[in-house]
Amino acid sequence: MINKITVLGFPRIGEKRELKTALENYWKGIISLNELHSVSTELRVRHWKLQHDSGIDQVAINDFSLYDNMLDLMVTIGAEPDRFSDITDPTQRYFTMARGDVTHTALEMTKWFNTNYHYLVPELHSAFSFGKINSAKIINEYNEAKANGYEGRIQLIGPITFLALSKCSEEVRAHLFDSLLNQYATLLEMLQSLGTDIIIHEPSLVCDPMPNDLSLVKIAYDKLGRFGKIWVATYFEHSNEATAVLVNTPIYGLVLDFVHGDKNHTSLELLSKSDKHVVIGIINGRNVWKNDLHNSLTTLTTIASTIPKERLSLGISCSLLHVPYSLKHENTLRAEVKGLLSFAEEKLAELSTLSQAFFTGQPLSVEFTDTTRSDEAVQKRLMNLTQNDYKRSYPFTLRQEAAHDLFDLPILPTTTIGSFPQTAEIRKTRQEFKKGIITKEQYEIAMKEAIKQCVAFQESVDIDVLVHGEFERNDMVEYFGEQLSGFAFSSNGWVQSYGSRCVKPPLLYGDVSRTKPMTVEWSVFAQSLTERPMKGMLTGPVTILNWSFVRDDQPKAITATQIALAIRDEVDDLQRAGVKMIQVDEAAFKEGYPLRCKDRAAYEKWALESFLLSTAVAERDTQIHTHMCYSEFTDIIKTIEAMDADVISIETSRSGNRLLKIFAAVAYAQEVGPGVYDIHSPRVPSVEEMEKQIHELLEVLPAEQLWINPDCGLKTRGWSETESSLKNMVKATKAVRATF
Ligand code: GLN
Ligand code: ZN
């Protein structure tokens, strides 16, 4: 079968995270650059072989990266920021751009569209001029594949996406457009001599286009489409507006996502009338569940009734970067869960089976796993929900009165976002308990000791509202997932998050319910140690959902409702046990936002309802806190208001009081705790610095409405800087209070 399957990329970290190990050892000076390169080569060749053995005759080339593809692109097209030019060694410069050093702050990092992968953000400015093209990485990888007997297609992030994701103004974007295209043209001309297909990734074409965007697409691909066999790939949504433009450019074909961009179907007619070849992204590259091959075959057959099969080939909806490697090392998963799963390697096999069936008519033989995913009691409970379950019994003003009576806090109350430093000892204790090396009793004694010290510390610093420290939690989602039914955990299901970092998202496969209280014992113990209010600490339903691999056999809204009910029960148990301040973290609330504006209202509706359902059980004198990580709040402020939390803390320190302004602009009524210092650095901010920061916050919101806290994530810090910083924070707060 020739050219009938296309992959946009394979995970590169290694099935045993070999690249992670090699990178970290290289950074520590334990291995040499040559050794790092030989690990990389081994991984690339192994991944090409895998693709080839699955029947893919053109493997993905240049999907590999030592840190990030966007960073590689900056090197390739001469777009390294000038501020690193004093570093002459290219490898040292590469890793410094990624990780920073004493004299250079690293490039900013942010999420790749709505995935959990983070890319490095290019920095452009009006005086910027592109440097020399450097095609060595691409050509070397191409030759390496060739030497090992593999033909391949070169993967390259495109100019539209590069510009859209760069940090610069619209003017700079417009100003640099032509010279950027010239860079790409030079590069493609060099690559043309290889005589192979080039797949240009343009995922930003799935976002709602601005008026001028489409004419730039036309200019770009009229120019670039001429350099051999050029494909344009879009993913994560439909790209109908761009497709309509691209069919009138000289490109060879398009790669479209029919999993997350079902609406791409409306472009089929247009595509059929053009001469373009089309790769149908039909297997989900973002999720871990087995594909319903019969269903896919039906979709393909429909497509083939419009576009002739000769012009079609099949693919994964996006790069496989976003899924774990292989099921072959999963020895602890229950068979009924394992039977539902398909990781990268298995997805290639699915694609191959589907391709055989579609192109050669081979019958599909699919094994079926009989797994119980539904729980009658859970479903009944969902059916019996009423409007009242989503609404707190008292309005905010009355709740606030009750809180003033009950807690009697000073003005500008101080608190933290939940976690405290996770020392090596704490981690070791948790692991030993998990492995059965220490008993439950020993474990509890150790954790309670940590809580005791943490509470004593907070009292000694004179923080007003305390937390227990989250020492029993490895991760804010995993901790809850492990105790809820409906979740499973892989032992090796790692997915690259950035650089050498990976995450292992829980597998949310079945109906969710809570079998027993999850946090009550820890919180009640912590509260018993102090007269001051102790915040119960929960992760919200939307965040649990957004950071898991979520079942795709029912709408996310239903799954979110189930999780919300489990959290609701926990909120209720906490308040009954006397924990009267409860924080329900929605760190990832913004992350789930759909890429297209049109779909956002639907997401907001169920996300909001899930949060309300999980918290509305709180009585009048139970104060509900929530927390959101750094994000633009402007477009979601109405939803935040509707969440009706008594207090929201937000990660803001790096933006001064900028993010807070929207809360004032909409006359937000509830209380807000903007982070007053950045915890992502070990630097201890001075008292004066934080006083200044607090005064800036007071320019935006009145003192009666403000809480004082650091940004989130103290668990990643050491004790010494945490101690000094919090001491300074409290001192600064007291100094400001004294001015009233
Ligand atoms: N309560 C969590 C903590 O402080 C919140 C983490 C987060 O915002 N990502 O660590
Ligand atoms: Zn946060």
Side-chain angles (χ1 to χ4, degrees):
M1 233 187 302
I2 294 295
N3 292 348
K4 285 300 183 191
I5 300 183
T6 296
V7 269
L8 296 174
F10 198 76
R12 54 197 177 229
I13 204 82
E15 64 179 26
K16 301 233 166 85
R17 287 182 292 161
E18 294 89 332
L19 183 60
K20 175 190 175 66
T21 312
L23 277 169
E24 289 173 0
N25 284 341
Y26 171 70
W27 293 333
K28 284 186 207 140
I30 297 170
I31 65 167
S32 68
L33 185 60
N34 274 340
E35 285 168 292
L36 175 63
H37 283 317
S38 72
V39 172
S40 310
T41 299
E42 198 184 311
L43 288 172
R44 282 192 295 267
V45 174
R46 191 195 296 164
H47 302 158
W48 287 328
K49 180 172 182 337
L50 263 169
Q51 293 168 55
H52 183 81
D53 291 353
S54 317
I56 293 161
D57 45 41
Q58 294 213 309
V59 299
I61 289 177
N62 196 38
D63 58 337
F64 184 84
S65 177
L66 281 175
Y67 202 96
D68 169 48
N69 303 109
M70 199 62 143
L71 179 60
D72 296 341
L73 180 65
M74 290 179 229
V75 176
T76 303
I77 61 171
E80 297 176 42
D82 317 321
R83 62 190 183 87
F84 296 95
S85 60
D86 58 312
I87 309 171
T88 46
D89 177 65
T91 309
Q92 196 194 341
R93 194 166 63 242
Y94 181 87
F95 285 125
T96 307
M97 289 191 281
R99 308 174 66 229
D101 65 15
V102 267
T103 45
H104 305 81
T105 40
L107 293 175
E108 218 175 274
M109 199 166 57
T110 194
K111 274 173 188 279
W112 179 244
F113 299 87
N114 54 3
T115 73
N116 204 8
Y117 176 76
H118 300 68
Y119 67 92
L120 292 165
V121 184
E123 294 170 6
L124 302 174
H125 51 87
S126 56
F128 185 84
S129 67
F130 290 98
K132 244 182 50 228
I133 295 290
N134 184 348
S135 59
K137 173 182 185 288
I138 303 179
I139 292 180
N140 289 346
E141 283 179 26
Y142 177 83
N143 288 334
E144 191 178 63
K146 194 123 190 150
N148 282 279
Y150 305 113
E151 287 296 327
R153 289 179 168 157
I154 291 168
Q155 315 290 321
L156 186 70
I157 297 170
I160 306 284
T161 301
F162 174 80
L163 270 188
L165 300 189
S166 291
K167 196 159 83 171
C168 65
S169 67
E170 283 312 314
E171 292 71 48
V172 170
R173 260 182 210 117
H175 170 69
L176 291 177
F177 183 73
D178 287 338
S179 50
L180 177 65
L181 285 192
N182 289 336
Q183 295 295 97
Y184 270 87
T186 312
L187 173 68
L188 292 179
E189 201 176 346
M190 288 176 178
L191 299 180
Q192 200 172 8
S193 60
L194 302 175
T196 189
D197 296 25
I198 297 184
I199 303 188
I200 304 191
H201 293 224
E202 290 284 23
S204 61
L205 296 182
V206 306
C207 300
D208 295 308
M210 305 291 255
N212 192 28
D213 288 355
L214 296 171
S215 51
L216 298 183
V217 174
K218 175 86 171 114
I219 297 170
Y221 285 95
D222 271 342
K223 179 165 179 146
L224 305 182
R226 294 176 202 285
F227 294 97
K229 266 169 84 179
I230 303 288
W231 299 78
V232 173
T234 68
Y235 36 83
F236 305 147
E237 248 301 345
H238 77 82
S239 56
N240 287 328
E241 301 90 342
T243 301
V245 172
L246 288 167
V247 290
N248 295 314
T249 66
I251 63 166
Y252 180 79
L254 286 107
V255 185
L256 301 173
D257 180 346
F258 280 80
V259 177
H260 301 99
D262 192 42
K263 292 200 184 74
N264 276 323
H265 279 278
T266 50
S267 284
L268 290 176
E269 204 55 54
L270 193 67
L271 286 162
S272 82
K273 288 190 200 122
S274 76
D275 60 346
K276 303 301 173 222
H277 287 246
V278 186
V279 176
I280 309 291
I282 190 81
I283 305 264
N284 195 337
R286 297 274 303 267
N287 219 333
V288 290
W289 315 108
K290 265 188 186 154
N291 186 274
D292 179 343
L293 293 178
H294 286 286
N295 193 14
S296 297
L297 194 58
T298 313
T299 307
L300 292 172
T301 312
T302 322
I303 294 174
S305 67
T306 315
I307 305 181
K309 270 191 187 173
E310 298 71 56
R311 280 202 274 134
L312 292 180
S313 48
L314 309 189
I316 309 282
S317 67
C318 58
S319 166
L320 285 164
L321 181 67
H322 310 290
V323 293
Y325 264 81
S326 162
L327 282 170
K328 71 177 178 244
H329 301 297
E330 296 302 334
N331 305 320
T332 53
L333 275 175
R334 277 180 296 130
E336 62 158 20
V337 176
K338 198 170 171 182
L340 297 169
L341 295 170
S342 170
F343 291 175
E345 217 181 308
E346 292 78 27
K347 281 177 191 288
L348 291 181
E350 286 182 328
L351 191 57
S352 171
T353 309
L354 194 58
S355 162
Q356 303 269 357
F358 180 58
F359 290 110
T360 68
Q362 243 177 61
L364 270 181
S365 70
V366 181
E367 32 167 320
F368 174 72
T369 320
D370 187 15
T371 310
T372 328
R373 300 176 98 167
S374 64
D375 175 337
E376 221 176 295
V378 173
Q379 300 194 355
K380 230 195 205 132
R381 203 170 163 202
L382 252 66
M383 268 160 47
N384 291 331
L385 288 171
T386 66
Q387 286 296 319
N388 282 339
D389 296 323
Y390 294 86
K391 203 169 166 314
R392 290 191 68 178
S393 331
Y394 292 87
F396 171 67
T397 43
L398 295 186
R399 300 188 321 245
Q400 194 179 33
E401 255 176 52
H404 285 161
D405 291 348
L406 180 64
F407 303 121
D408 193 26
L409 293 170
I411 199 152
L412 299 172
T414 51
T415 190
T416 61
I417 310 304
S419 63
F420 267 88
Q422 296 234 335
T423 56
E425 200 190 324
I426 291 286
R427 288 174 201 277
K428 189 167 151 253
T429 308
R430 265 201 323 262
Q431 273 160 14
E432 285 181 345
F433 174 53
K434 220 171 181 170
K435 288 186 188 144
I437 299 171
I438 59 170
T439 64
K440 185 160 188 274
E441 211 185 349
Q442 286 171 308
Y443 172 71
E444 281 175 2
I445 292 171
M447 289 297 131
K448 287 186 172 170
E449 189 47 42
I451 295 175
K452 253 188 218 163
Q453 285 175 12
C454 184
V455 170
F457 164 73
Q458 294 172 81
E459 285 193 328
S460 75
V461 184
D462 204 13
I463 291 178
D464 301 306
V465 170
L466 312 193
V467 296
H468 77 288
E470 300 181 25
F471 303 109
E472 75 289 8
R473 302 179 194 181
N474 170 34
D475 172 273
M476 64 189 286
V477 169
E478 188 176 61
Y479 178 76
F480 291 93
E482 276 176 344
Q483 301 185 74
L484 292 167
S485 51
F487 282 84
F489 291 83
S490 64
S491 45
N492 202 43
W494 296 102
V495 178
Q496 190 176 15
S497 169
Y498 67 87
S500 67
R501 296 295 195 100
C502 300
V503 291
K504 190 152 65 65
L507 311 167
L508 204 181
Y509 72 95
D511 282 350
V512 176
S513 66
R514 191 192 71 143
T515 50
K516 56 173 190 351
M518 304 179 281
T519 65
V520 177
E521 213 188 307
W522 302 121
S523 287
V524 168
F525 173 73
Q527 180 68 84
S528 76
L529 302 171
T530 177
E531 296 291 312
R532 303 179 188 220
M534 173 65 58
K535 281 194 283 188
M537 197 56 61
L538 306 175
T539 302
V542 184
T543 298
I544 292 183
L545 183 127
N546 282 341
W547 282 346
S548 299
F549 281 123
V550 187
R551 60 192 291 188
D552 58 358
D553 63 329
Q554 70 180 20
K556 279 189 178 167
I558 295 180
T559 309
T561 311
Q562 295 179 355
I563 310 171
L565 283 171
I567 300 298
R568 180 185 179 92
D569 293 346
E570 191 72 13
V571 169
D572 200 22
D573 281 345
L574 281 170
Q575 66 180 355
R576 281 166 199 271
V579 179
K580 299 299 227 176
M581 272 193 198
I582 303 171
Q583 181 173 314
V584 180
D585 283 330
E586 283 295 17
F589 192 87
K590 183 84 196 269
E591 253 168 51
Y593 269 69
L595 293 171
R596 292 271 180 174
C597 284
K598 212 177 105 314
D599 305 319
R600 289 191 191 144
Y603 169 82
E604 286 191 312
K605 182 171 183 301
W606 66 253
L608 171 63
E609 284 175 357
S610 319
F611 182 82
L612 290 173
L613 183 60
S614 66
T615 51
V617 69
E619 284 151 11
R620 178 177 170 186
D621 62 356
T622 299
Q623 189 173 59
I624 294 292
H625 291 229
T626 190
H627 164 75
M628 283 188 197
C629 293
Y630 192 85
S631 41
E632 281 299 330
F633 299 112
T634 312
D635 47 341
I636 64 164
I637 191 72
K638 285 285 150 201
T639 308
I640 295 180
E641 270 189 316
M643 285 166 75
D644 199 22
D646 300 297
V647 184
I648 181 171
S649 60
I650 49 178
E651 194 182 11
T652 48
S653 73
R654 268 171 291 166
S655 79
N657 63 9
R658 185 179 67 83
L659 290 173
L660 196 60
K661 288 188 175 145
I662 186 66
F663 287 83
V666 299
Y668 185 79
Q670 288 95 320
E671 298 169 17
V672 191
V676 296
Y677 79 85
D678 183 6
I679 65 92
H680 294 92
S681 142
R683 196 177 74 85
V684 176
S686 68
V687 178
E688 295 71 37
E689 198 178 326
M690 281 193 268
E691 260 185 78
K692 190 168 159 271
Q693 176 91 351
I694 297 170
H695 280 298
E696 277 176 24
L697 300 174
L698 285 165
E699 286 166 19
V700 183
L701 287 180
E704 296 67 37
Q705 217 180 337
L706 282 174
W707 286 60
I708 305 299
N709 45 254
D711 277 348
C712 53
L714 280 180
K715 76 173 193 186
T716 58
R717 288 265 65 88
W719 267 107
S720 86
E721 68 260 22
T722 301
E723 205 170 319
S724 312
S725 300
L726 288 177
K727 270 186 189 152
N728 287 356
M729 182 186 90
V730 173
K731 269 192 201 144
T733 309
K734 287 182 177 169
V736 177
R737 275 181 199 152
T739 65
F740 286 111

